[in-house]
Amino acid sequence: MARRSKIISGLLVSGALLVTSLGVGGMALGADADPVPASAAGGGSAHAAHSPQRAGHAMAASTVPAAEDRDGDGFIPAKSPVATVKPALKDPPHRYFHEFQANCSVTHTRPDDPIVYPGQPGKSHDHTFMGNTTTDARSTTDSLKQGNTACKAPGDKSAYWMPTLFKGDKAVLPIGPQTIYYKAGVTDYTSVRPFPEGLRYVVGSPMQSADEFRHHPGFVEGWECGESFFNVDIPKNCPSTQSTQLNIRFQAPSCWDGVHLDSPDHQSHMAYPQVKAGTNDNICPASHPVALPMIEFKMAFPVNGDLSQVRLASGAGHSFHYDFFNAWDPATLKALVDHCVVGGLQCNARGYDETHPEAGAALDENYELP
């Protein structure tokens, strides 16, 4: 289990990766990023869904500001900024786990991205959406809060999405609730606080190279299939057994600047924890002092056997990335964070740790606040 519970340390996203997170106009993706026919886009607009120019967020920035970006500068200020926090340096009693799960199912696919291309349907490569059932190019914090969810916890109306996986021209969608971990990324797990309402960010980059993907601070085990681990690209073959699926795990930054819900590159308002000098402790950098939950995608795709025709809508396997748009009910999220992350437990989607039944659960049998 220790191998699967990697703690991020040391590195922030490099400036180059931040620049390429949205791509550079006209940049080629290579032979393995040939466009997927629009017919495979899962109901999205046929025009521009998979054109070579748009296969990897090829614009440097959106030409349309988000509805919540009042002055159009790319920054969305938090309603309640946290300006006085310093990075937590305490070393609380060791607890091997401090996490809970958000189990969310796929709802739809569409060539939309409300973070990178807000208000511009059909502009993105095809994405697979989980959680909120209404997510599209025009989604806002308010619209998501009014939507429904395919997460086990009704209070989680957040939107989660990633590039659609294709085998040939056919989309391959994860089946059933997927595991999205909410963890402590810092040593002082007692300092982790809930996401601010409306926070959004992009994890990784569709334009990253294989080397950038392998050395990204969010890299856990890369692509896995059967007994094959740490693959930068999707393996060409996988055992053809009923229980074998293609998997990937990737962690998000968990340190917030305390001020912005979004930034022009959709990443620089967030940072990964770093190692405190002279210790093995992970702390948030002074520029991003607020410790939030570290999201980790653990996705399972029902495909095996010959994978030579399997790739992402964004290109090769090393183009994997994902987006998060927070629309949790604040009280529900706080209950789970306080009980499971701050409380040092290994919780399921109810906030229940089977190894510590005496601690009880944060939510009731309907995954709601009691």
Side-chain angles (χ1 to χ4, degrees):
M1 191 67 186
R3 180 171 64 86
R4 288 181 172 272
S5 300
K6 173 187 173 187
I7 299 177
I8 293 299
S9 64
L11 295 175
L12 299 178
V13 179
S14 69
L17 185 55
L18 289 175
V19 170
T20 58
S21 66
L22 301 181
V24 178
M27 182 179 291
L29 290 179
D32 58 356
D34 292 336
V36 174
S39 60
S45 169
H47 86 282
H50 298 289
S51 69
Q53 291 79 17
R54 294 190 176 96
H57 293 332
M59 292 177 64
S62 173
T63 56
V64 178
E68 295 158 284
D69 179 7
R70 303 301 183 189
D71 56 9
D73 65 354
F75 290 99
I76 299 177
K79 293 180 180 179
S80 301
V82 183
T84 59
V85 171
K86 293 183 178 180
L89 303 178
K90 291 192 303 181
D91 190 0
H94 175 71
R95 300 297 289 267
Y96 193 76
F97 295 104
H98 9 69
E99 64 184 43
F100 68 90
Q101 297 181 18
N103 296 142
C104 304
S105 298
V106 170
T107 57
H108 57 288
T109 67
R110 185 172 291 166
D112 286 1
D113 191 321
I115 295 178
V116 178
Y117 294 117
Q120 301 167 84
K123 190 106 180 199
S124 173
H125 55 246
D126 202 59
H127 284 113
T128 293
F129 293 90
M130 296 173 291
N132 200 293
T133 61
T134 68
T135 314
D136 61 20
R138 296 183 175 88
S139 290
T140 64
T141 304
D142 288 341
S143 74
L144 293 174
K145 288 166 61 178
Q146 294 168 16
N148 295 317
T149 184
C151 297
K152 284 187 176 179
D156 185 7
K157 294 186 178 182
S158 301
Y160 308 87
W161 65 95
M162 59 190 171
T164 299
L165 187 84
F166 287 91
K167 185 171 185 179
D169 291 345
K170 183 179 179 181
V172 179
L173 306 180
I175 298 173
Q178 298 300 293
T179 301
I180 301 168
Y181 290 107
Y182 280 61
K183 302 182 174 186
V186 293
T187 299
D188 184 5
Y189 55 87
T190 66
S191 68
V192 176
R193 63 180 69 195
F195 292 120
E197 189 174 90
L199 181 76
R200 68 210 72 181
Y201 53 73
V202 178
V203 183
S205 167
M207 303 299 289
Q208 64 205 354
S209 68
D211 187 66
E212 287 171 326
F213 178 63
R214 177 63 184 87
H215 294 97
H216 192 285
F219 187 95
V220 180
E221 292 180 345
W223 293 95
E224 308 173 338
C225 195
E227 297 301 315
S228 181
F229 303 98
F230 295 103
N231 294 292
V232 172
D233 280 316
I234 297 169
K236 298 300 182 185
N237 289 281
C238 183
S240 299
T241 62
Q242 186 174 3
S243 62
T244 301
Q245 298 190 84
L246 180 67
N247 299 278
I248 190 167
R249 298 169 68 113
F250 209 78
Q251 293 178 334
S254 60
C255 297
W256 179 44
D257 68 7
V259 179
H260 303 105
L261 301 178
D262 197 8
S263 50
D265 62 9
H266 314 297
Q267 293 188 336
S268 59
H269 57 303
M270 300 293 296
Y272 284 88
Q274 60 188 22
V275 176
K276 179 184 176 183
T279 74
N280 290 320
D281 293 347
N282 291 324
I283 64 172
C284 284
S287 60
H288 296 72
V290 184
L292 303 177
M294 174 176 277
I295 284 180
E296 179 182 312
F297 264 34
K298 182 184 177 184
M299 301 290 110
F301 300 91
V303 62
N304 55 40
D306 179 8
L307 304 185
S308 60
Q309 300 301 310
V310 174
R311 66 177 191 84
L312 297 169
S314 53
H318 59 74
S319 72
F320 181 79
H321 58 287
Y322 61 87
D323 301 53
F324 169 68
F325 196 140
N326 176 42
W328 274 90
D329 167 63
T332 304
L333 179 60
K334 179 174 172 53
L336 287 164
V337 170
D338 288 351
H339 186 69
C340 302
V341 180
V342 175
L345 300 174
Q346 184 184 24
C347 295
N348 59 18
R350 276 192 62 209
Y352 178 74
D353 185 341
E354 293 183 355
T355 65
H356 289 281
E358 75 283 357
L363 307 179
D364 64 19
E365 61 276 6
N366 296 315
Y367 300 89
E368 297 181 318
L369 288 172

